[in-house]
Amino acid sequence: QLQLVESGGGLVQAGGSLRLSCAASERTFSSSLMGWFRQAPGKEREFVACINQIDGSTYADYVKGRFTISRDVAKNTVYLQMNSLKPEDTAVYYCATGLWRGTMKVDAWGQGTQVTVSS
């Protein structure tokens, strides 16, 4: 069974940066996406970004120009570089795999990593 393990979360000041990593336990299918969602306290889970097997990427509007998703195919690993962080970015960030069907349809989740941005 596919497992996803996130790392890289932490506490950062507004305007700072963090880099999240997510390692998959096995190679993903070529038709699959890897990506990130986040959930803040009391809020619904929301899509952040995803990337396909040929490095095509999609971002939520609120992170465009600030976050960059990338991958290392050999390591089955996806990254999320988060720059110019805002307090509103505070959330648990979840790695995910899935397929694009208008939105990213998730078939596996990681346990999440906490990102806290202080004002």
Side-chain angles (χ1 to χ4, degrees):
Q1 184 175 338
L2 179 68
Q3 293 183 308
L4 302 169
V5 180
E6 302 101 332
S7 63
L11 175 65
V12 66
Q13 294 183 89
S17 298
L18 286 173
R19 184 175 176 85
L20 307 183
S21 299
C22 172
S25 62
E26 60 191 55
R27 185 179 64 84
T28 59
F29 293 100
S30 61
S31 60
S32 295
L33 305 174
M34 296 188 73
W36 297 90
F37 290 73
R38 69 187 189 186
Q39 188 165 16
K43 301 292 183 64
E44 300 291 334
R45 183 187 63 199
E46 61 185 2
F47 172 77
V48 176
C50 65
I51 188 166
N52 66 19
Q53 294 290 338
I54 54 172
D55 288 347
S57 58
T58 299
Y59 297 91
D61 287 342
Y62 57 84
V63 303
K64 287 181 179 177
R66 299 192 298 125
F67 292 8
T68 303
I69 191 167
S70 61
R71 66 182 300 150
D72 185 328
V73 175
K75 295 181 179 179
N76 298 324
T77 299
V78 65
Y79 306 93
L80 186 69
Q81 178 68 45
M82 305 185 294
N83 298 326
S84 301
L85 282 161
K86 306 174 181 179
E88 295 77 29
D89 296 317
T90 295
V92 177
Y93 284 70
Y94 295 93
C95 182
T97 60
L99 299 172
W100 187 258
R101 295 176 182 168
T103 60
M104 186 177 174
K105 307 301 291 185
V106 175
D107 53 34
W109 294 100
Q111 291 295 307
T113 185
Q114 177 71 47
V115 171
T116 302
V117 184
S118 62
S119 60

